[in-house]
mmCIF file of all heavy atoms in Angstrom:
data_model
loop_
_atom_site.group_PDB
_atom_site.id
_atom_site.type_symbol
_atom_site.label_atom_id
_atom_site.label_comp_id
_atom_site.label_asym_id
_atom_site.label_seq_id
_atom_site.Cartn_x
_atom_site.Cartn_y
_atom_site.Cartn_z
ATOM 1 N N ASN A 272 113.369 182.265 72.488
ATOM 2 C CA ASN A 272 112.388 181.673 73.433
ATOM 3 C C ASN A 272 111.022 182.263 73.400
ATOM 4 O O ASN A 272 109.970 181.694 73.587
ATOM 5 C CB ASN A 272 112.907 181.806 74.876
ATOM 6 C CG ASN A 272 113.948 180.732 75.135
ATOM 7 O OD1 ASN A 272 114.091 179.796 74.379
ATOM 8 N ND2 ASN A 272 114.801 180.905 76.146
ATOM 9 N N ASP A 273 110.959 183.627 73.156
ATOM 10 C CA ASP A 273 109.756 184.258 73.066
ATOM 11 C C ASP A 273 109.214 184.306 71.643
ATOM 12 O O ASP A 273 108.933 185.342 71.080
ATOM 13 C CB ASP A 273 109.812 185.675 73.595
ATOM 14 C CG ASP A 273 109.959 185.674 75.087
ATOM 15 O OD1 ASP A 273 109.184 185.105 75.851
ATOM 16 O OD2 ASP A 273 111.056 186.166 75.565
ATOM 17 N N SER A 274 109.179 183.138 70.989
ATOM 18 C CA SER A 274 108.933 183.053 69.605
ATOM 19 C C SER A 274 107.457 183.609 69.305
ATOM 20 O O SER A 274 106.647 183.447 70.146
ATOM 21 C CB SER A 274 109.073 181.645 69.142
ATOM 22 O OG SER A 274 108.235 180.806 70.003
ATOM 23 N N ALA A 277 102.477 181.401 65.994
ATOM 24 C CA ALA A 277 102.049 181.165 64.670
ATOM 25 C C ALA A 277 100.424 181.200 64.606
ATOM 26 O O ALA A 277 99.824 180.524 65.499
ATOM 27 C CB ALA A 277 102.561 179.791 64.180
ATOM 28 N N VAL A 286 95.097 172.669 65.422
ATOM 29 C CA VAL A 286 94.933 172.638 66.758
ATOM 30 C C VAL A 286 93.456 172.150 67.210
ATOM 31 O O VAL A 286 93.319 171.487 68.192
ATOM 32 C CB VAL A 286 95.219 174.063 67.399
ATOM 33 C CG1 VAL A 286 94.776 174.200 68.807
ATOM 34 C CG2 VAL A 286 96.739 174.264 67.357
ATOM 35 N N MET A 293 92.905 163.776 70.404
ATOM 36 C CA MET A 293 93.301 163.413 71.759
ATOM 37 C C MET A 293 92.094 162.598 72.406
ATOM 38 O O MET A 293 92.193 161.941 73.417
ATOM 39 C CB MET A 293 93.568 164.645 72.629
ATOM 40 C CG MET A 293 94.796 165.485 72.199
ATOM 41 S SD MET A 293 96.209 164.381 71.903
ATOM 42 C CE MET A 293 96.773 165.146 70.381
ATOM 43 N N LYS A 295 90.303 160.333 70.925
ATOM 44 C CA LYS A 295 90.096 159.107 70.243
ATOM 45 C C LYS A 295 90.289 157.894 71.273
ATOM 46 O O LYS A 295 91.019 158.030 72.255
ATOM 47 C CB LYS A 295 91.146 158.852 69.115
ATOM 48 C CG LYS A 295 90.785 159.535 67.815
ATOM 49 C CD LYS A 295 91.711 159.101 66.757
ATOM 50 C CE LYS A 295 91.465 159.699 65.390
ATOM 51 N NZ LYS A 295 92.491 159.382 64.454
ATOM 52 N N GLU A 312 83.775 161.674 85.155
ATOM 53 C CA GLU A 312 85.238 161.849 85.158
ATOM 54 C C GLU A 312 85.937 160.793 85.940
ATOM 55 O O GLU A 312 86.925 160.157 85.562
ATOM 56 C CB GLU A 312 85.563 163.261 85.820
ATOM 57 C CG GLU A 312 87.090 163.547 85.642
ATOM 58 C CD GLU A 312 87.467 164.953 86.189
ATOM 59 O OE1 GLU A 312 86.956 165.304 87.279
ATOM 60 O OE2 GLU A 312 88.166 165.685 85.482
ATOM 61 N N ASP A 313 85.330 160.502 87.154
ATOM 62 C CA ASP A 313 85.865 159.409 87.928
ATOM 63 C C ASP A 313 85.826 158.065 87.225
ATOM 64 O O ASP A 313 86.677 157.111 87.522
ATOM 65 C CB ASP A 313 85.204 159.280 89.318
ATOM 66 C CG ASP A 313 85.573 160.477 90.208
ATOM 67 O OD1 ASP A 313 86.491 161.249 89.879
ATOM 68 O OD2 ASP A 313 84.844 160.736 91.229
ATOM 69 N N GLY A 315 86.339 157.646 84.123
ATOM 70 C CA GLY A 315 87.337 157.580 83.012
ATOM 71 C C GLY A 315 86.874 158.247 81.791
ATOM 72 O O GLY A 315 87.493 158.126 80.691
ATOM 73 N N ALA A 316 85.745 159.081 81.771
ATOM 74 C CA ALA A 316 85.350 159.662 80.542
ATOM 75 C C ALA A 316 86.415 160.620 80.121
ATOM 76 O O ALA A 316 87.176 161.237 80.943
ATOM 77 C CB ALA A 316 84.049 160.574 80.890
ATOM 78 N N SER A 352 88.214 168.480 85.323
ATOM 79 C CA SER A 352 89.476 169.039 84.595
ATOM 80 C C SER A 352 89.481 168.445 83.142
ATOM 81 O O SER A 352 90.310 168.925 82.422
ATOM 82 C CB SER A 352 90.728 168.708 85.310
ATOM 83 O OG SER A 352 90.865 167.215 85.368
ATOM 84 N N GLU A 374 84.162 179.686 77.057
ATOM 85 C CA GLU A 374 85.375 178.731 76.927
ATOM 86 C C GLU A 374 85.143 177.270 77.095
ATOM 87 O O GLU A 374 85.799 176.557 77.723
ATOM 88 C CB GLU A 374 86.500 179.233 77.900
ATOM 89 C CG GLU A 374 86.991 180.639 77.675
ATOM 90 C CD GLU A 374 88.323 180.969 78.335
ATOM 91 O OE1 GLU A 374 88.821 180.115 79.058
ATOM 92 O OE2 GLU A 374 88.779 182.068 78.107
ATOM 93 N N ASP A 376 85.186 173.565 75.603
ATOM 94 C CA ASP A 376 86.323 173.031 74.843
ATOM 95 C C ASP A 376 85.911 172.542 73.416
ATOM 96 O O ASP A 376 86.699 172.570 72.480
ATOM 97 C CB ASP A 376 87.029 171.864 75.592
ATOM 98 C CG ASP A 376 87.670 172.337 76.822
ATOM 99 O OD1 ASP A 376 88.649 173.051 76.740
ATOM 100 O OD2 ASP A 376 87.172 172.028 77.899
ATOM 101 N N LYS A 399 87.166 180.004 67.279
ATOM 102 C CA LYS A 399 88.486 179.420 67.780
ATOM 103 C C LYS A 399 88.198 178.099 68.388
ATOM 104 O O LYS A 399 89.038 177.178 68.441
ATOM 105 C CB LYS A 399 88.942 180.461 68.758
ATOM 106 C CG LYS A 399 90.262 180.051 69.433
ATOM 107 C CD LYS A 399 91.487 180.960 68.884
ATOM 108 C CE LYS A 399 92.813 180.258 69.039
ATOM 109 N NZ LYS A 399 93.254 180.023 70.394
ATOM 110 N N VAL A 400 87.002 177.994 68.979
ATOM 111 C CA VAL A 400 86.611 176.639 69.610
ATOM 112 C C VAL A 400 86.277 175.749 68.462
ATOM 113 O O VAL A 400 85.516 176.038 67.570
ATOM 114 C CB VAL A 400 85.417 176.881 70.574
ATOM 115 C CG1 VAL A 400 84.866 175.574 71.079
ATOM 116 C CG2 VAL A 400 85.835 177.726 71.706
ATOM 117 N N THR A 533 88.054 150.987 75.033
ATOM 118 C CA THR A 533 89.533 150.864 74.748
ATOM 119 C C THR A 533 89.770 149.423 74.265
ATOM 120 O O THR A 533 90.526 149.209 73.306
ATOM 121 C CB THR A 533 90.326 151.071 76.072
ATOM 122 O OG1 THR A 533 90.255 152.448 76.410
ATOM 123 C CG2 THR A 533 91.725 150.623 75.890
ATOM 124 N N TYR A 534 89.148 148.410 74.902
ATOM 125 C CA TYR A 534 89.388 146.962 74.565
ATOM 126 C C TYR A 534 88.231 146.488 73.696
ATOM 127 O O TYR A 534 87.759 145.395 73.909
ATOM 128 C CB TYR A 534 89.507 146.240 75.900
ATOM 129 C CG TYR A 534 90.792 146.572 76.576
ATOM 130 C CD1 TYR A 534 90.800 147.520 77.639
ATOM 131 C CD2 TYR A 534 92.038 145.974 76.359
ATOM 132 C CE1 TYR A 534 91.860 147.881 78.354
ATOM 133 C CE2 TYR A 534 93.158 146.367 76.999
ATOM 134 C CZ TYR A 534 93.071 147.374 77.984
ATOM 135 O OH TYR A 534 94.314 147.728 78.669
ATOM 136 N N ASP A 536 87.973 145.215 70.846
ATOM 137 C CA ASP A 536 88.055 144.027 70.039
ATOM 138 C C ASP A 536 88.561 142.904 70.751
ATOM 139 O O ASP A 536 89.029 141.917 70.234
ATOM 140 C CB ASP A 536 88.926 144.342 68.776
ATOM 141 C CG ASP A 536 90.278 144.845 69.254
ATOM 142 O OD1 ASP A 536 90.531 145.050 70.421
ATOM 143 O OD2 ASP A 536 91.170 145.064 68.347
ATOM 144 N N LEU B 1492 95.761 153.006 75.000
ATOM 145 C CA LEU B 1492 94.608 152.955 75.933
ATOM 146 C C LEU B 1492 93.617 153.986 75.426
ATOM 147 O O LEU B 1492 92.432 153.784 75.543
ATOM 148 C CB LEU B 1492 95.024 153.274 77.359
ATOM 149 C CG LEU B 1492 96.055 152.249 77.954
ATOM 150 C CD1 LEU B 1492 96.494 152.683 79.286
ATOM 151 C CD2 LEU B 1492 95.430 150.883 77.960
ATOM 152 N N GLN B 1493 94.139 155.025 74.877
ATOM 153 C CA GLN B 1493 93.213 156.244 74.476
ATOM 154 C C GLN B 1493 94.115 157.296 73.975
ATOM 155 O O GLN B 1493 95.244 157.370 74.318
ATOM 156 C CB GLN B 1493 92.465 156.577 75.814
ATOM 157 C CG GLN B 1493 91.412 157.710 75.569
ATOM 158 C CD GLN B 1493 92.027 159.096 75.717
ATOM 159 O OE1 GLN B 1493 92.750 159.369 76.584
ATOM 160 N NE2 GLN B 1493 91.782 159.914 74.652
ATOM 161 N N GLY B 1494 93.651 158.087 73.102
ATOM 162 C CA GLY B 1494 94.452 159.297 72.666
ATOM 163 C C GLY B 1494 94.969 159.214 71.208
ATOM 164 O O GLY B 1494 94.367 158.482 70.377
ATOM 165 N N ARG B 1514 98.086 147.663 74.371
ATOM 166 C CA ARG B 1514 97.036 147.751 75.455
ATOM 167 C C ARG B 1514 97.168 146.678 76.454
ATOM 168 O O ARG B 1514 96.681 146.865 77.491
ATOM 169 C CB ARG B 1514 95.669 147.634 74.735
ATOM 170 C CG ARG B 1514 95.274 148.816 73.764
ATOM 171 C CD ARG B 1514 93.975 148.537 73.069
ATOM 172 N NE ARG B 1514 94.030 147.309 72.365
ATOM 173 C CZ ARG B 1514 93.033 146.768 71.762
ATOM 174 N NH1 ARG B 1514 91.824 147.194 71.942
ATOM 175 N NH2 ARG B 1514 93.166 145.604 71.051
ATOM 176 N N THR B 1534 92.096 159.648 82.403
ATOM 177 C CA THR B 1534 91.528 158.372 81.818
ATOM 178 C C THR B 1534 92.678 157.325 81.639
ATOM 179 O O THR B 1534 92.410 156.159 82.038
ATOM 180 C CB THR B 1534 90.942 158.709 80.377
ATOM 181 O OG1 THR B 1534 89.976 159.689 80.559
ATOM 182 C CG2 THR B 1534 90.298 157.484 79.819
ATOM 183 N N LEU B 1537 93.756 155.934 85.026
ATOM 184 C CA LEU B 1537 92.727 154.948 85.505
ATOM 185 C C LEU B 1537 92.811 153.589 84.860
ATOM 186 O O LEU B 1537 92.769 152.550 85.466
ATOM 187 C CB LEU B 1537 91.361 155.536 85.179
ATOM 188 C CG LEU B 1537 90.191 155.182 85.992
ATOM 189 C CD1 LEU B 1537 89.494 156.433 86.690
ATOM 190 C CD2 LEU B 1537 89.122 154.466 85.182
ATOM 191 N N ARG B 1575 94.093 162.564 90.917
ATOM 192 C CA ARG B 1575 93.523 161.450 90.197
ATOM 193 C C ARG B 1575 94.533 160.792 89.248
ATOM 194 O O ARG B 1575 94.278 159.711 88.800
ATOM 195 C CB ARG B 1575 92.340 161.997 89.456
ATOM 196 C CG ARG B 1575 91.044 162.155 90.262
ATOM 197 C CD ARG B 1575 90.066 162.914 89.491
ATOM 198 N NE ARG B 1575 90.655 164.208 89.110
ATOM 199 C CZ ARG B 1575 89.927 165.255 88.717
ATOM 200 N NH1 ARG B 1575 88.638 165.088 88.607
ATOM 201 N NH2 ARG B 1575 90.511 166.379 88.421
ATOM 202 N N ARG B 1588 98.718 170.132 84.991
ATOM 203 C CA ARG B 1588 97.747 169.853 84.024
ATOM 204 C C ARG B 1588 97.050 171.155 83.491
ATOM 205 O O ARG B 1588 96.983 172.090 84.196
ATOM 206 C CB ARG B 1588 96.623 168.909 84.494
ATOM 207 C CG ARG B 1588 97.087 167.557 84.893
ATOM 208 C CD ARG B 1588 95.947 166.585 85.181
ATOM 209 N NE ARG B 1588 95.127 166.485 84.107
ATOM 210 C CZ ARG B 1588 93.779 166.352 84.046
ATOM 211 N NH1 ARG B 1588 93.116 166.505 85.193
ATOM 212 N NH2 ARG B 1588 93.082 166.184 82.969
ATOM 213 N N ASN B 1589 96.769 171.281 82.214
ATOM 214 C CA ASN B 1589 96.174 172.331 81.538
ATOM 215 C C ASN B 1589 96.772 173.656 82.013
ATOM 216 O O ASN B 1589 96.029 174.620 82.186
ATOM 217 C CB ASN B 1589 94.658 172.371 82.009
ATOM 218 C CG ASN B 1589 93.938 171.033 81.597
ATOM 219 O OD1 ASN B 1589 94.520 170.329 80.596
ATOM 220 N ND2 ASN B 1589 92.837 170.751 82.224
ATOM 221 N N ARG B 1593 92.177 176.241 78.764
ATOM 222 C CA ARG B 1593 91.180 175.412 78.040
ATOM 223 C C ARG B 1593 91.498 175.523 76.535
ATOM 224 O O ARG B 1593 92.384 176.189 76.046
ATOM 225 C CB ARG B 1593 89.752 175.948 78.270
ATOM 226 C CG ARG B 1593 89.425 175.905 79.745
ATOM 227 C CD ARG B 1593 87.900 176.329 79.909
ATOM 228 N NE ARG B 1593 87.561 176.623 81.349
ATOM 229 C CZ ARG B 1593 87.268 175.727 82.231
ATOM 230 N NH1 ARG B 1593 87.281 174.474 81.929
ATOM 231 N NH2 ARG B 1593 86.929 176.050 83.432
ATOM 232 N N GLN B 1594 90.658 174.855 75.727
ATOM 233 C CA GLN B 1594 90.911 174.646 74.327
ATOM 234 C C GLN B 1594 91.063 176.004 73.576
ATOM 235 O O GLN B 1594 91.889 176.154 72.650
ATOM 236 C CB GLN B 1594 89.846 173.754 73.652
ATOM 237 C CG GLN B 1594 89.992 173.640 72.189
ATOM 238 C CD GLN B 1594 91.281 172.969 71.695
ATOM 239 O OE1 GLN B 1594 91.972 172.342 72.539
ATOM 240 N NE2 GLN B 1594 91.545 172.999 70.409
ATOM 241 N N VAL B 1595 90.299 177.040 74.009
ATOM 242 C CA VAL B 1595 90.397 178.338 73.282
ATOM 243 C C VAL B 1595 91.748 178.890 73.420
ATOM 244 O O VAL B 1595 92.199 179.814 72.654
ATOM 245 C CB VAL B 1595 89.361 179.436 73.840
ATOM 246 C CG1 VAL B 1595 88.013 179.182 73.271
ATOM 247 C CG2 VAL B 1595 89.377 179.531 75.344
ATOM 248 N N SER B 1597 94.469 177.015 73.281
ATOM 249 C CA SER B 1597 95.440 176.116 72.622
ATOM 250 C C SER B 1597 96.028 176.925 71.520
ATOM 251 O O SER B 1597 95.379 177.775 70.874
ATOM 252 C CB SER B 1597 94.669 174.881 72.074
ATOM 253 O OG SER B 1597 94.374 173.978 73.167
ATOM 254 N N SER B 1599 99.568 177.456 68.414
ATOM 255 C CA SER B 1599 100.830 176.953 67.729
ATOM 256 C C SER B 1599 101.901 177.956 67.811
ATOM 257 O O SER B 1599 101.608 179.170 67.806
ATOM 258 C CB SER B 1599 100.496 176.706 66.229
ATOM 259 O OG SER B 1599 99.371 175.866 66.029
ATOM 260 N N ASN B 1601 106.403 178.688 67.097
ATOM 261 C CA ASN B 1601 107.656 178.256 66.545
ATOM 262 C C ASN B 1601 108.681 178.064 67.720
ATOM 263 O O ASN B 1601 108.828 178.956 68.527
ATOM 264 C CB ASN B 1601 108.242 179.232 65.526
ATOM 265 C CG ASN B 1601 107.309 179.234 64.227
ATOM 266 O OD1 ASN B 1601 106.760 178.140 63.948
ATOM 267 N ND2 ASN B 1601 107.152 180.342 63.611
ATOM 268 N N ARG B 1619 95.620 172.196 75.084
ATOM 269 C CA ARG B 1619 95.364 172.017 76.474
ATOM 270 C C ARG B 1619 96.566 171.556 77.233
ATOM 271 O O ARG B 1619 96.569 170.517 77.961
ATOM 272 C CB ARG B 1619 94.142 171.084 76.714
ATOM 273 C CG ARG B 1619 92.767 171.667 76.335
ATOM 274 C CD ARG B 1619 91.618 170.652 76.380
ATOM 275 N NE ARG B 1619 91.596 169.883 77.574
ATOM 276 C CZ ARG B 1619 90.892 170.216 78.668
ATOM 277 N NH1 ARG B 1619 90.091 171.201 78.660
ATOM 278 N NH2 ARG B 1619 90.940 169.374 79.714
ATOM 279 N N SER B 1635 112.090 175.388 74.720
ATOM 280 C CA SER B 1635 111.307 176.151 75.705
ATOM 281 C C SER B 1635 110.293 177.134 74.981
ATOM 282 O O SER B 1635 110.557 177.392 73.769
ATOM 283 C CB SER B 1635 112.166 176.969 76.611
ATOM 284 O OG SER B 1635 112.876 178.003 75.861
ATOM 285 N N ASN B 1637 108.209 180.807 75.906
ATOM 286 C CA ASN B 1637 108.208 181.825 77.009
ATOM 287 C C ASN B 1637 108.913 181.530 78.236
ATOM 288 O O ASN B 1637 108.472 181.623 79.387
ATOM 289 C CB ASN B 1637 106.702 182.058 77.419
ATOM 290 C CG ASN B 1637 106.008 182.862 76.324
ATOM 291 O OD1 ASN B 1637 106.620 183.492 75.423
ATOM 292 N ND2 ASN B 1637 104.603 182.987 76.387
ATOM 293 N N HIS B 1654 102.781 168.555 70.607
ATOM 294 C CA HIS B 1654 102.429 167.299 69.870
ATOM 295 C C HIS B 1654 103.164 167.152 68.532
ATOM 296 O O HIS B 1654 102.720 167.605 67.481
ATOM 297 C CB HIS B 1654 100.872 167.384 69.564
ATOM 298 C CG HIS B 1654 100.041 167.206 70.819
ATOM 299 N ND1 HIS B 1654 99.774 165.941 71.255
ATOM 300 C CD2 HIS B 1654 99.493 168.071 71.599
ATOM 301 C CE1 HIS B 1654 99.062 166.117 72.384
ATOM 302 N NE2 HIS B 1654 98.854 167.387 72.586
#
Side-chain angles (χ1 to χ4, degrees):
Chain A
N272 281 344
D273 292 299
S274 53
V286 164
M293 299 311 136
K295 277 187 181 175
E312 186 176 48
D313 288 346
S352 63
E374 299 195 356
D376 295 293
K399 180 108 203 295
V400 171
T533 293
Y534 293 92
D536 56 356
Chain B
L1492 298 175
Q1493 185 274 310
R1514 290 177 300 169
T1534 304
L1537 204 124
R1575 283 166 302 193
R1588 293 188 66 216
N1589 303 337
R1593 300 182 194 280
Q1594 176 65 10
V1595 282
S1597 291
S1599 303
N1601 290 329
R1619 288 171 48 93
S1635 66
N1637 282 348
H1654 289 277

